[in-house]
Amino acid sequence: MSPRPNPIADLLVKHLARDLVMGIEDALYTGARRGYAAGGATHPGHRAHSTGQMRHFHCNEAFWDALEAGGATPTPLNGNQIVVGQAGIFTIGRFHSDCGLQGGRRSKARSQLAEANEVIEKIIAPDLFQEAREATSASVFFMTSSNRHYNGDEDQSPLSSIEIGVPRKDMNGWVFHESIRMFLRRYETEVVTQEDNATARLKVGVVKRQDQEGTQ
């Protein structure tokens, strides 16, 4: 199934390199796996909490590496502070949530980043009484969710999903979001054009008849 045309997705494809998105996808899987391994070794009484903490730190580190490798100038790693990068007009963040966008809304820092989406939000829902403005800054997030059946097996994924999304300025909904797998297909929809070397020629009989009738 091909992704549906979307102006916000077009902007993301324009400003986020495919290799950067693929690198972030790999990094988040790697970070989640490392976090589970680190937290899973703790006492069962606080293993769930420990695993969540370890997943946060390891995903932050892996996310930072992916942003750095992709030229997205990540902010320094510093305790519980969120890590963000920059690619074109987009500030790039991430969060883990098993309850959708509501999980990302708990962070004041992420909510402040989302405020930059006021202009880009108008692309989908234009204001009839205001002149449209070009978006010069916006925020996009990569959201991960847990695979509750993951037990550390190498054949399993520690995450049930990774989605990419642009939230509304108040983070009460998405302006655009879809699975990262579907989003990566948007880079493959290249228009292939073929040079047309054919030239139109009239048949000999037609040219001769036109000469006899004095049309040339």
Side-chain angles (χ1 to χ4, degrees):
M1 182 176 63
S2 299
R4 296 180 179 179
N6 185 289
I8 307 299
D10 291 343
L11 277 175
L12 288 167
V13 169
K14 177 181 177 181
H15 291 276
L16 274 60
R18 181 174 183 267
D19 286 347
L20 173 61
V21 177
M22 292 179 65
I24 291 174
E25 179 187 28
D26 290 341
L28 294 178
Y29 278 119
T30 298
R33 192 178 295 276
R34 289 174 180 170
Y36 183 92
T42 57
H43 189 279
H46 58 244
R47 184 170 298 163
H49 179 76
S50 176
T51 299
Q53 288 278 15
M54 290 298 100
R55 181 183 57 232
H56 169 74
F57 288 122
H58 282 281
C59 280
N60 256 9
E61 292 181 7
F63 184 57
W64 191 97
D65 289 339
L67 292 173
E68 175 74 8
T73 57
T75 54
L77 289 164
N78 186 7
N80 283 323
Q81 292 184 13
I82 66 172
V83 173
V84 298
Q86 190 72 38
I89 68 170
F90 285 99
T91 299
I92 310 167
R94 72 156 200 95
F95 62 91
H96 184 88
S97 174
D98 293 326
C99 56
L101 186 55
Q102 179 181 350
R105 200 165 59 235
R106 296 169 184 162
S107 166
K108 182 178 180 180
R110 294 190 186 96
S111 295
Q112 289 175 339
L113 289 176
E115 291 175 2
N117 291 342
E118 179 178 4
V119 175
I120 203 171
E121 189 177 331
K122 299 292 177 60
I123 295 176
I124 299 298
D127 192 324
L128 298 177
F129 303 101
Q130 290 185 355
E131 184 178 354
R133 292 184 291 163
E134 181 180 0
T136 57
S137 63
S139 296
V140 59
F141 293 94
F142 289 83
M143 181 180 73
T144 55
S145 299
S146 300
N147 178 1
R148 298 185 181 278
H149 302 291
Y150 180 66
N151 58 11
D153 193 325
E154 292 185 0
D155 295 330
Q156 289 183 313
S157 169
L159 301 174
S160 63
S161 68
I162 300 179
E163 296 183 346
I164 180 172
V166 176
R168 291 171 49 182
K169 64 178 181 179
D170 56 8
M171 288 196 82
N172 283 326
W174 296 104
V175 178
F176 165 83
H177 90 286
E178 66 186 6
S179 72
I180 196 169
R181 289 283 88 194
M182 178 65 77
F183 180 74
L184 282 169
R185 295 181 189 175
R186 295 183 180 275
Y187 294 91
E188 301 169 2
T189 57
E190 298 178 358
V191 178
V192 179
T193 59
Q194 182 176 0
E195 186 177 356
D196 185 5
N197 295 319
T199 55
R201 294 184 180 180
L202 291 174
K203 292 182 179 180
V204 175
V206 175
V207 174
K208 185 176 182 180
R209 186 168 63 252
Q210 288 178 340
D211 289 340
Q212 291 174 346
E213 295 172 353
T215 55
Q216 286 190 338

